Amino acid sequence: MSKIITSENVSVYYGKQRAINNINLDFNVHNITALIGPSGSGKSTYLRCLNRMNDLINNVTVSGSIKLNGKDIFSPQMDIVNLRKTVGMVFQQPIPFPFSIYENVAYGLRLNGIKEKKILDVRIEKALRQSALWEEVKDSLHDNGFSLSGGQQQRLCIARVLAVEPEVVLLDEPTSALDPISSAQIEDTLVSLKNEFTFIIVTHNMQQASRISDWTAFFLDGKLEEYSATKKLFLNPDKEKTSDYLNGKFG
Amino acid sequence: MNAKTSNKVATAVIYSFVGIVVLLLFFLIGYILVNGIPYISWHFLTSPSQSFLAGGGIRDQLFNSIYLLILTLIISVPIALGSGIYLAEYAPDNVITKLIKTAIEVLSSLPSVVVGLFGYLLFVIKFGFGFSILTGAIALTFFNLPLLTRNIEESINDVPDLQREAGLSLGISRWRTMVKIVLPSALPGILTGIILSAGRAFGEAAALIYTSGQSAPIVNYSNFNIFSQSSFLNPMRPAETLAVHIWKLNTEGVTPDAHSISNGSSAVLIIVILLFNLGARVIGNAIYRKITSGRRG
Amino acid sequence: MGKNNLGAETIMIPREEIAIETKKIDVYYGSNKAISNASLAFPRFKISALIGASGSGKSTFLRSLNRMNDGIATVKGEIMYRSTNINSVKVNVYQVRKHIGMVFQRPNPFARSIRNNITFALKEHGIHGEDELNKRVEESLRAAALWDEVKDSLDKSALSLSGGQAQRLCIARSIALKPDILLLDEPASALDPVSTSKIETTLRELKKKYTIIIVTHNMQQASRLSDYTAFFHMGKVVEYGQTNNIFTSPRANITEKYISGNFG
Amino acid sequence: MNNIKKELNMASKETRQDSIGRFISYFCITIIGVLVISIIYFITSRGLTMFFANHVKLSDFLLKTTWNPGTLDSHGKPEVGALPMIVTSFSVTILSAILATPFAIAVALFMTEYADKRGAKLLQSVIELLVGIPSVIYGYIGLSVVVPMIRHIYGGTGFGILAGTIVLFVMILPTITSLTVDSLRAVPQHYRQVSLSLGATKWQTIYKLILRVGTPGILTAIIFGMARAFGEALAVQMVIGNAAIMPKNLVSVASTLTSQLTTGIGNTVLGTFANNALWSLALVLLIMSLLFNTLVRIVGNKGAVKNERKNKQ
């Protein structure tokens, strides 16, 4: 199976403190990979390396190499703007902009200089359908994004990312602020889209990881403790710590 | 222009605009200080001004400014304190409170010349105070009140509610809780606000031209009888302040060395205001440290 | 009557001397009813715990007992203390609070010295003698089990204390006024386990002289500490009784669910 | 026991303290209320005297261009056309706002989006110092630097709208800047992250998102700046030339409402017609100030509606 992202010896420092330590992790294309682990284990920090969102935080240094389709994302030739277009991100809290639903999804498209209404309409409908929101909002595209419920807002944020047509979508605990029904809807959305996109999802919810992911990486204390196919990891983990965590002994 | 080029252009424009603003400030302060400091001497600070001769000083104007400022603070701080406490502690959430807040906003946005003219109309003419330090102090109070009140209200609101609850739960009255517990905690913020407002009042001229007047009669600095016409402490005498003096020198132009005196006076004014600015920071921090025993946060 | 249908009449009244009693208390935030029909009687020199999920109204109820809800919420009904309805506007709220002290969730010492934290309210209430003040400082700090830790630094700022120490200082500050009743609103929820256990020990000691009512979200704490427990759910008192009975044989389904950790 | 019961029902020292405290604070706030009402009342009644007692037509006052309240024209009517002052006041206000806004936004963006904490703090002090400089000093520098410069470049006296605009530009810059900073700081930090994660450049994020979300706040800032410019008296008076005639161009002498007032009030006697005419100018100032205030309120409310929606979720 082809790898879309490969990472070697990735370490992250906050000031002098090492947050994650020598992570080697590759991601298969058109799969869902879950990153699990207790809070503070470094899974979110690692995720934010993949589209260089850590660049935005002062005092953070990243070492090691991460390659997207074979190209080093830290090399000076790498255009960070293009990187983020290829590797989109959905955050923990739903963060719609205070614009209309339409304009929220159009935001990323307009950044790319797409102005023609016809193209916009088509792309926006496609993205909203992909995120399973179209039926609910097609008659109210010009309402403010905040008029939606929390779960709808998160799907709007997913649509906003999908509209840019990224190859990889990073999701940082996308359902932790949502009710069970909305969470299930988002999980369904991800599963139904995995033939078109590669998803990497950080979650503290082990059931969620086991339900939707193909691969699971277990992080502990800034290290990658174990990484394998989800079934294998959940049913027959190699390490005792993994099994302890999965059985709720800590975390 | 593509996104990256426009990003670069915008960044360059923003940086250069910021550079211009910073240079502007340095130019302004530098200009005043470079041109003014050579004129500042002991003689300049301690001799009376001259109308038609060169070589006058700014003794009376400087004193008037300080005296006026002190009077203003004596009048305005208690009123602002009471009003700030009202807004932070007692104001019910209703139409009247909204009206009062609107009134304070209106007052803060009134041109100072309008405030000065009102003072002139009511106190100089109607109440017959004439051009006097007292009238000037009242006009400056009007000008000072809204900002000071809002500052005090905000400083009080910044004190965590827990402190208030602690006082109330010990059976202490709301008023004493406010005065003895909340106000001391709010003091750094309040003091900073007062000092900054003092700086503003010290440089204000428009509200004073027709209230404290434009003349500085010779006064006797050893006469401490505040009711005596010649006493320097008499609040009912007209008193030209430093800021008004600068304005007058430059609009009437009968003093031969108006330019030099203006330069010197401006420098004195700026230095005093810089000191106020610095003082606000230093004192605010010092009090904060004292109250919290050196813990920041 | 099924297990689900517990009404107000099934809520027991302790057969002991009652320190304070509420009769059909309703509390409103604006038009929003937060507590309805709460009738509870708290026995003297006992610790009573109020438990329930967050939002169940237990803190709101507690704050009504010494009128800390004045100006925040509307409290209807009677609160009988010393055969006076202290929920009446005619009653002097400051006297109420002097006799019914309160300690809050987050430690809130005044930004003054440790000594001053205790003497401040005493002075406000007219106690001025240097000896008397010193005596009260020591007494109350001893009672709050803080004396040994701070006796050499009484003039240091109270803000230099750790969270647990600050909370015990707040308890000392309250009991220095020699109240009748001490209300505690999740006093240990912001503290580490060691500080928590110190506070629990302190409270056990204090109940010899004071009536204590404590709100806690920690059921172990309630079962360890209290003599009586009231379970609040969605603004109502579902069940009230001796702590043992509540934890071993709750009468309402919902209580059982709560104490076995099914929600909340 | 009965003792406590008695105490519970008695008014105490605390109750008395509270009444006193309440009285003091109510008293203070009343002073402010009465003050604002009397300012509005006195200025209005003085300002209207010319129209009611001296029967000047409002249209003459607002539309005629000759201001000479001391004398009568050929029809025996006094000449109180305030249009030159009104035009000049608006000109300097609008021009200085146009000039100051880009600088203010640039500085505000620098402080909120580009600079680190230290840089932002440093610039904050620059802004605070600019606010602190008294207006006579701005006027004085205008008089001794800006006016000669204009004279050198454009000829003429150097006094006029251009000089006034430049002086006001510097004066309102800090006002607009600090309020703009506030409104940009109010834009949630994570909006920026989301935008960047969608592949926006920094400038795209600023231009398409932050400035858009912050628009009501920025507008408010500009209106506040304009209000300050419109009401500023001495600094403008020192550089505008003080001739109550229609300005021919940006470098010809003119007079604003405020400068006419400051020069005029001292030279007229209260109660005379010439004096009444000046009070009418003061009334215009008052009305404009109230208008700016209302405008701020309207724009602010629009922003608030948006925020409310935000909070609902």
Side-chain angles (χ1 to χ4, degrees):
Chain A
M1 201 174 274
S2 72
K3 309 283 185 197
I4 186 158
I5 292 180
T6 58
S7 61
E8 262 177 75
N9 295 328
V10 175
S11 297
V12 176
Y13 296 80
Y14 287 107
K16 290 209 166 121
Q17 202 184 337
R18 184 146 65 178
I20 59 176
N21 191 358
N22 274 335
I23 306 278
N24 295 293
L25 193 51
D26 300 345
F27 297 96
N28 291 322
V29 73
H30 294 175
N31 271 184
I32 299 179
T33 307
L35 312 183
I36 62 169
S39 51
S41 60
K43 52 194 192 306
S44 280
T45 306
Y46 174 75
L47 187 78
R48 295 166 68 92
C49 293
L50 300 179
N51 64 345
R52 290 183 60 182
M53 285 302 277
N54 283 331
D55 290 16
L56 304 176
I57 308 166
N58 286 333
N59 221 3
V60 169
T61 37
V62 181
S63 67
S65 100
I66 297 176
K67 289 193 174 124
L68 171 68
N69 292 324
K71 273 183 242 154
D72 183 3
I73 67 166
F74 295 117
S75 87
Q77 281 83 32
M78 174 53 75
D79 177 356
I80 192 162
V81 166
N82 278 336
L83 169 69
R84 291 187 184 140
K85 278 177 192 158
T86 318
V87 184
M89 186 161 199
V90 175
F91 296 80
Q92 186 168 5
Q93 293 286 333
I95 309 169
F97 296 140
F99 309 149
S100 68
I101 295 170
Y102 185 92
E103 281 303 319
N104 260 287
V105 185
Y107 186 83
L109 300 171
R110 290 189 197 277
L111 291 179
N112 291 332
I114 301 173
K115 289 191 187 116
E116 211 177 317
K117 188 159 184 321
K118 263 192 205 154
I119 303 178
L120 283 175
D121 286 350
V122 172
R123 295 274 293 264
I124 287 166
E125 178 173 342
K126 186 178 166 207
L128 285 169
R129 279 189 192 282
Q130 284 175 327
S131 71
L133 193 60
W134 176 253
E135 291 302 325
E136 290 159 60
V137 302
K138 64 181 178 199
D139 299 322
S140 54
L141 287 176
H142 296 286
D143 285 5
N144 194 297
F146 287 108
S147 60
L148 299 175
S149 74
Q152 288 174 322
Q153 287 185 13
Q154 192 62 301
R155 277 181 284 150
L156 176 63
C157 294
I158 294 175
R160 187 171 59 192
V161 172
L162 298 183
V164 190
E165 297 181 344
E167 293 177 41
V168 182
V169 179
L170 313 175
L171 303 109
D172 190 359
E173 309 207 11
T175 62
S176 69
L178 304 180
D179 60 285
I181 296 173
S182 305
S183 299
Q185 281 169 329
I186 288 186
E187 289 177 14
D188 291 346
T189 308
L190 297 182
V191 173
S192 71
L193 288 173
K194 74 172 179 180
N195 293 327
E196 298 165 63
F197 302 95
T198 304
F199 292 111
I200 304 173
I201 178 170
V202 162
T203 175
H204 65 271
N205 181 334
M206 282 171 277
Q207 285 73 38
Q208 185 172 61
S210 72
R211 273 196 301 267
I212 62 170
S213 72
D214 304 297
W215 301 84
T216 299
F218 171 55
F219 279 68
L220 188 64
D221 293 334
K223 290 192 199 107
L224 178 61
E225 196 68 26
E226 187 164 352
Y227 179 40
S228 62
T230 300
K231 260 198 189 139
K232 158 97 176 41
L233 188 113
F234 274 83
L235 296 177
N236 187 17
D238 287 335
K239 301 224 175 138
E240 204 181 320
K241 277 185 185 160
T242 315
S243 108
D244 283 354
Y245 178 69
L246 294 174
N247 291 320
K249 292 214 175 130
F250 67 93
Chain B
M1 196 160 42
N2 75 17
K4 257 162 263 157
T5 329
S6 59
N7 189 38
K8 276 186 197 136
V9 171
T11 309
V13 169
I14 287 173
Y15 274 74
S16 44
F17 273 33
V18 170
I20 293 173
V21 172
V22 174
L23 284 179
L24 198 63
L25 175 85
F26 280 123
F27 166 75
L28 287 171
I29 298 206
Y31 180 87
I32 293 293
L33 294 182
V34 168
N35 285 304
I37 286 179
Y39 291 100
I40 301 178
S41 63
W42 188 245
H43 171 80
F44 180 66
L45 294 176
T46 56
S47 11
S49 60
Q50 300 286 344
S51 294
F52 307 105
L53 295 170
I58 54 167
R59 178 189 72 190
D60 302 319
Q61 283 79 9
L62 193 55
F63 174 76
N64 289 342
S65 290
I66 295 167
Y67 190 31
L68 187 62
L69 176 63
I70 293 170
L71 267 187
T72 304
L73 291 182
I74 290 175
I75 304 172
S76 58
V77 170
I79 301 178
L81 214 51
S83 309
I85 292 176
Y86 171 83
L87 288 174
E89 181 71 17
Y90 293 109
D93 191 13
N94 61 18
V95 187
I96 295 174
T97 306
K98 261 192 198 147
L99 274 177
I100 288 172
K101 287 195 167 165
T102 312
I104 290 175
E105 258 166 54
V106 166
L107 190 57
S108 76
S109 62
L110 279 183
S112 57
V113 58
V114 171
V115 173
L117 285 176
F118 167 74
Y120 167 70
L121 197 61
L122 196 63
F123 292 91
V124 177
I125 308 283
K126 277 235 153 84
F127 294 169
F129 287 10
F131 291 132
S132 66
I133 295 187
L134 185 62
T135 320
I138 294 172
L140 280 189
T141 295
F142 298 165
F143 166 82
N144 228 353
L145 268 181
L147 289 160
L148 213 49
T149 301
R150 219 177 307 156
N151 165 268
I152 290 172
E153 183 200 350
E154 279 167 16
S155 303
I156 291 176
N157 280 336
D158 281 348
V159 177
D161 248 354
L162 279 169
Q163 291 282 314
R164 207 161 301 165
E165 289 193 325
L168 291 178
S169 75
L170 292 168
I172 298 165
S173 63
R174 267 170 99 176
W175 177 251
R176 293 289 286 181
T177 304
M178 175 53 67
V179 173
K180 298 295 263 190
I181 295 167
V182 179
L183 274 188
S185 296
L187 199 59
I190 294 177
L191 222 66
T192 309
I194 291 177
I195 297 174
L196 288 178
S197 82
R200 228 175 26 241
F202 197 81
E204 174 58 30
L208 293 178
I209 293 175
Y210 295 112
T211 50
S212 62
Q214 304 169 36
S215 57
I218 300 297
V219 288
N220 180 351
Y221 284 92
S222 53
N223 182 349
F224 286 90
N225 176 5
I226 63 164
F227 299 108
S228 155
Q229 210 31 257
S230 66
S231 166
F232 69 111
L233 289 177
N234 184 346
M236 300 313 286
R237 66 184 171 85
E240 182 192 41
T241 65
L242 203 53
V244 174
H245 189 54
I246 296 172
W247 173 74
K248 205 167 163 233
L249 283 172
N250 286 290
T251 43
E252 304 208 330
V254 284
T255 317
D257 57 349
H259 196 65
S260 329
I261 296 176
S262 308
N263 279 334
S265 310
S266 300
V268 171
L269 204 54
I270 283 283
I271 289 169
V272 171
I273 282 164
L274 288 179
L275 286 178
F276 274 129
N277 241 300
L278 203 68
R281 276 160 220 267
V282 172
I283 293 178
N285 281 337
I287 292 193
Y288 188 89
R289 268 202 304 278
K290 190 166 175 243
I291 284 183
T292 59
S293 303
R295 284 216 328 191
R296 258 267 175 220
Chain C
M1 193 182 270
K3 241 186 168 185
N4 283 320
N5 287 330
L6 280 175
E9 63 274 15
T10 61
I11 285 167
M12 55 85 71
I13 296 169
R15 285 194 196 87
E16 302 190 46
E17 190 192 339
I18 299 301
I20 186 168
E21 181 176 9
T22 65
K23 291 183 173 165
K24 301 197 170 169
I25 291 280
D26 293 329
V27 183
Y28 296 85
Y29 290 107
S31 57
N32 213 342
K33 199 168 188 176
I35 302 243
S36 75
N37 209 12
S39 300
L40 285 174
F42 299 100
R44 210 155 180 228
F45 300 141
K46 292 282 186 284
I47 298 181
S48 306
L50 313 181
I51 62 169
S54 51
S56 61
K58 53 193 193 305
S59 282
T60 304
F61 176 82
L62 188 80
R63 293 168 60 92
S64 303
L65 295 180
N66 69 340
R67 302 263 305 265
M68 285 302 282
N69 278 336
D70 278 23
I72 301 169
T74 325
V75 182
K76 288 180 183 155
E78 288 188 343
I79 301 172
M80 298 307 293
Y81 167 68
R82 304 259 171 176
S83 58
T84 309
N85 174 19
I86 54 171
N87 195 34
S88 141
V89 277
K90 278 182 261 163
V91 163
N92 186 329
V93 58
Y94 301 114
Q95 291 298 330
V96 169
R97 293 181 188 146
K98 217 154 86 181
H99 295 295
I100 308 179
M102 187 163 208
V103 174
F104 298 84
Q105 184 169 6
R106 300 237 321 269
N108 53 355
F110 301 132
R112 299 159 167 259
S113 71
I114 294 171
R115 187 201 306 279
N116 238 315
N117 257 278
I118 293 171
T119 56
F120 171 66
L122 293 173
K123 286 184 191 158
E124 286 292 313
H125 291 305
I127 298 168
H128 286 290
E130 189 73 23
D131 294 342
E132 173 69 12
L133 287 174
N134 285 339
K135 204 181 99 204
R136 291 261 192 131
V137 169
E138 182 172 345
E139 261 175 24
S140 57
L141 284 172
R142 276 190 196 282
L146 190 61
W147 175 252
D148 290 331
E149 290 162 56
V150 301
K151 64 181 175 205
D152 300 321
S153 52
L154 288 177
D155 293 308
K156 270 200 187 158
S157 165
L159 299 184
S160 61
L161 296 176
S162 74
Q165 290 175 322
Q167 192 62 299
R168 277 178 284 147
L169 177 63
C170 292
I171 294 177
R173 183 173 66 185
S174 268
I175 55 185
L177 287 174
K178 303 199 167 154
D180 244 10
I181 300 175
L182 200 55
L183 310 176
L184 300 112
D185 189 0
E186 307 207 14
S189 72
L191 305 179
D192 59 285
V194 177
S195 307
T196 304
S197 87
K198 276 189 189 168
I199 290 204
E200 286 180 13
T201 316
T202 309
L203 293 180
R204 258 183 227 113
E205 206 45 46
L206 286 174
K207 80 166 174 179
K208 290 174 190 157
K209 283 162 111 186
Y210 303 96
T211 304
I212 293 173
I213 305 173
I214 178 171
V215 162
T216 176
H217 68 272
N218 180 334
M219 279 170 288
Q220 283 75 39
Q221 186 171 61
S223 70
R224 274 195 303 264
L225 198 61
S226 69
D227 305 296
Y228 288 85
T229 297
F231 172 61
F232 279 70
H233 184 61
M234 299 179 60
K236 289 201 176 85
V237 183
V238 175
E239 199 165 345
Y240 177 49
Q242 283 179 327
T243 302
N244 260 343
N245 292 342
I246 296 276
F247 278 88
T248 53
S249 51
R251 290 194 291 167
N253 269 339
I254 187 89
T255 316
E256 191 177 334
K257 270 194 186 160
Y258 180 71
I259 56 181
S260 51
N262 274 3
F263 71 95
Chain D
M1 171 116 186
N2 276 334
N3 228 350
I4 291 183
K5 191 175 172 188
K6 222 164 93 194
E7 273 175 39
L8 286 173
N9 283 304
M10 252 173 25
S12 63
K13 193 180 79 211
E14 283 79 22
T15 331
R16 212 167 46 246
Q17 285 168 348
D18 233 16
S19 323
I20 297 170
R22 205 177 280 265
F23 173 77
I24 294 174
S25 80
Y26 277 58
F27 177 75
C28 291
I29 202 75
T30 312
I31 293 181
I32 295 188
V34 169
L35 174 66
V36 174
I37 293 167
S38 21
I39 290 180
I40 294 176
Y41 169 76
F42 277 103
I43 303 282
T44 310
S45 69
R46 273 280 150 195
L48 291 177
T49 312
M50 186 180 79
F51 302 106
F52 289 109
N54 306 105
H55 305 291
V56 170
K57 271 198 277 178
L58 181 64
S59 57
D60 285 357
F61 176 70
L62 289 180
L63 299 175
K64 291 223 166 140
T65 55
T66 318
W67 176 265
N68 208 346
T71 54
L72 303 179
D73 67 2
S74 48
H75 307 288
K77 280 207 277 179
E79 299 184 295
V80 287
L83 191 63
M85 275 83 79
I86 295 174
V87 167
T88 310
S89 274
F90 273 100
S91 308
V92 290
T93 303
I94 292 168
L95 288 175
S96 61
I98 290 174
L99 196 57
T101 302
F103 282 92
I105 292 179
V107 174
L109 283 175
F110 180 81
M111 286 171 70
T112 57
E113 313 298 325
Y114 288 89
D116 55 5
K117 255 193 182 153
R118 255 187 63 219
K121 249 192 167 163
L122 213 73
L123 218 54
Q124 180 79 35
S125 338
V126 169
I127 300 299
E128 275 167 20
L129 282 176
L130 278 174
V131 176
I133 297 177
S135 62
V136 276
I137 292 197
Y138 281 117
Y140 176 60
I141 294 181
L143 188 66
S144 44
V145 178
V146 178
V147 170
M149 204 170 71
I150 294 174
R151 189 180 323 153
H152 185 76
I153 298 171
Y154 296 100
T157 58
F159 292 98
I161 290 178
L162 182 59
T165 300
I166 291 172
V167 168
L168 283 177
F169 151 65
V170 187
M171 293 185 71
I172 66 175
L173 182 61
T175 312
I176 304 183
T177 307
S178 58
L179 290 171
T180 303
V181 168
D182 291 346
S183 84
L184 295 184
R185 291 235 163 99
V187 176
Q189 199 56 40
H190 46 239
Y191 282 10
R192 297 168 172 88
Q193 286 193 17
V194 173
S195 175
L196 292 172
S197 80
L198 286 167
T201 62
K202 191 158 198 149
W203 174 243
Q204 281 178 322
T205 302
I206 290 171
Y207 180 71
K208 293 191 187 253
L209 185 66
I210 297 172
L211 288 182
R212 223 176 120 183
V213 177
T215 300
I218 297 172
L219 281 180
T220 313
I222 296 171
I223 299 168
F224 266 116
M226 288 173 69
R228 180 158 187 218
F230 201 88
E232 176 51 43
L234 300 191
V236 180
Q237 192 255 2
M238 288 163 90
V239 299
I240 196 106
N242 299 314
I245 50 173
M246 240 5 208
K248 285 194 283 294
N249 52 47
L250 294 185
V251 290
S252 71
V253 285
S255 179
T256 60
L257 293 163
T258 50
S259 72
Q260 198 55 40
L261 260 177
T262 32
T263 26
I265 285 283
N267 301 326
T268 55
V269 178
L270 197 74
T272 61
F273 179 76
N275 188 272
N276 289 344
L278 288 171
W279 284 106
S280 301
L281 298 183
L283 180 59
V284 176
L285 273 178
L286 179 75
I287 291 171
M288 278 312 294
S289 162
L290 294 177
L291 212 65
F292 281 125
N293 222 290
T294 318
L295 221 55
V296 164
R297 215 162 276 274
I298 293 169
V299 176
N301 278 345
K302 278 221 174 111
V305 170
K306 236 187 212 164
N307 285 326
E308 213 164 289
R309 278 214 205 111
K310 232 179 281 173
N311 292 334
K312 243 170 76 177
Q313 45 134 353

